Amino acid sequence: MPIQQEKEKERRVNPIAQIRGRLESLKVARENVIGEIYQLESEKEAVQRTLPIILQKLQEKTEQVQSKLYERSVYDRAIHEIEESYHDVLEKSRELAFGAIGVEPEPEDQDIDVDL
């Protein structure tokens, strides 16, 4: 009879051998879990080392976005003010031009919209 079969037969017959076999299986499973714990701890430490760097980059990007949003609002206000002034100038020049020749502007002349 091969040795493996003898051990198997002995385990079925001998309750102490069954307990030892199960205990050995549990120890192997525990060693696997210990290895997984070390791996997870290593990964966790790597994340902890990189997290401050990532948070700093996030803060910098947030500040850059805020700065660009403010810059855009300045441009928006300037464009709006210039467009209003430009349209006022056009309106005044139309009034002066038509007033100088003594003619009322035609409705289609009043609706001229010039984009910058």
Side-chain angles (χ1 to χ4, degrees):
M1 210 180 229
I3 297 174
Q4 185 68 11
Q5 288 177 345
E6 286 180 26
K7 286 183 179 181
E8 193 62 41
K9 183 178 180 184
E10 184 180 322
R11 284 183 185 154
R12 279 187 245 137
V13 176
N14 186 349
I16 300 295
Q18 284 181 335
I19 292 171
R20 284 185 185 151
R22 289 186 180 157
L23 184 58
E24 189 61 34
S25 295
L26 291 173
K27 287 180 180 181
V28 168
R30 180 186 66 185
E31 290 301 316
N32 290 337
V33 169
I34 289 171
E36 291 171 0
I37 290 170
Y38 286 136
Q39 178 65 32
L40 290 171
E41 286 290 333
S42 175
E43 291 173 9
K44 182 182 96 172
E45 289 170 6
V47 169
Q48 285 176 329
R49 283 190 303 273
T50 59
L51 187 59
I53 296 167
I54 292 170
L55 290 174
Q56 177 62 34
K57 287 181 180 180
L58 177 62
Q59 180 65 31
E60 290 169 4
K61 294 301 176 186
T62 300
E63 290 170 3
Q64 289 172 355
V65 166
Q66 291 299 321
S67 174
K68 291 299 178 182
L69 287 171
Y70 175 76
E71 187 177 340
R72 183 185 67 186
S73 71
V74 169
Y75 281 117
D76 287 345
R77 280 192 306 272
I79 289 168
H80 179 73
E81 290 171 6
I82 291 170
E83 284 178 340
E84 281 185 346
S85 297
Y86 178 72
H87 289 292
D88 288 344
V89 167
L90 282 179
E91 183 61 33
K92 297 283 187 207
S93 63
R94 271 194 222 116
E95 289 174 5
L96 288 173
F98 287 113
I101 58 174
V103 179
E104 288 292 319
E106 296 292 325
E108 63 269 0
D109 290 336
Q110 292 178 352
D111 293 335
I112 296 175
D113 187 24
V114 179
D115 288 327
L116 293 177

